[in-house]
Every structure is written in C-alpha cells, then in structure tokens.
Amino acid sequence: MDFHVFDTYVKAKDGHTMHFDVVTDESDIEKAISFAKEWLKGIGEETAKVSTEECRFCHTQSVPEDMEIEIMTNGYFIQRIDGCPEN
C-alpha cells in the first residue's frame, strides 16, 4: 500500500523550526494539516501555525509495517526529522 508524505516545517514557541513529515493514507492536504495540528497539540505546541505554506505534499511511498499499523490505527504517523522532541 502506498502512503502520502507531507513535508512540514513549523515554528515552535521558542522560535526554533521543527521539521517533520505527516505520513497518511489520505491524499488530502487539509487532513494532513489537521493531523499535524493534532500532533503539535499533543507535544504542547498548539499555537504553531500550520497551513498549506508550512505543510506540503512531498511524495508517495510504501512504509515499514510498524508505521503502517500506526497509520491504520491513528490515521497518520509523524516522522520527526529535525528540531522535534523525541517523544
């Protein structure tokens, strides 16, 4: 199964940039933005701006089984790339 990757850059409260991918089975940018906001709220960054300027479709790919299970369970997976909290 192929999954859609949305490359996302947002400013944290302290001003640093967080770079992460939203990986989902949905090809809808609005859903990806909603998933990004949900995750950001969960890490205490609910005020971070996320729009089509910060979150853009990047590519489609297959994913490892553990990532696929999380996407099927939660609707998305966040791939932390740079500046994101570990957990």
Side-chain angles (χ1 to χ4, degrees):
M1 182 173 193
D2 285 336
F3 294 89
H4 309 286
V5 179
F6 295 84
D7 198 30
T8 309
Y9 293 84
V10 300
K11 289 279 186 197
K13 289 178 197 172
D14 68 4
H16 84 277
T17 299
M18 292 188 292
H19 178 201
F20 59 91
D21 287 341
V22 178
V23 185
T24 179
D25 62 345
E26 304 266 351
S27 61
D28 181 353
I29 184 65
E30 294 304 322
K31 279 290 240 185
I33 290 169
S34 175
F35 292 142
K37 288 179 178 179
E38 181 179 314
W39 180 73
L40 287 163
K41 183 178 180 182
I43 63 165
E45 292 285 350
E46 60 279 344
T47 60
K49 179 185 175 208
V50 187
S51 71
T52 55
E53 291 295 312
E54 294 78 26
C55 183
R56 297 180 181 182
F57 175 75
C58 185
H59 63 277
T60 300
Q61 70 178 42
S62 59
V63 299
E65 184 178 356
D66 59 333
M67 193 184 291
E68 185 172 349
I69 290 168
E70 186 165 333
I71 293 167
M72 293 297 109
T73 303
N74 301 323
Y76 67 97
F77 177 85
I78 299 297
Q79 180 68 53
R80 295 167 177 91
I81 298 171
D82 191 38
C84 300
E86 291 301 314
N87 282 332

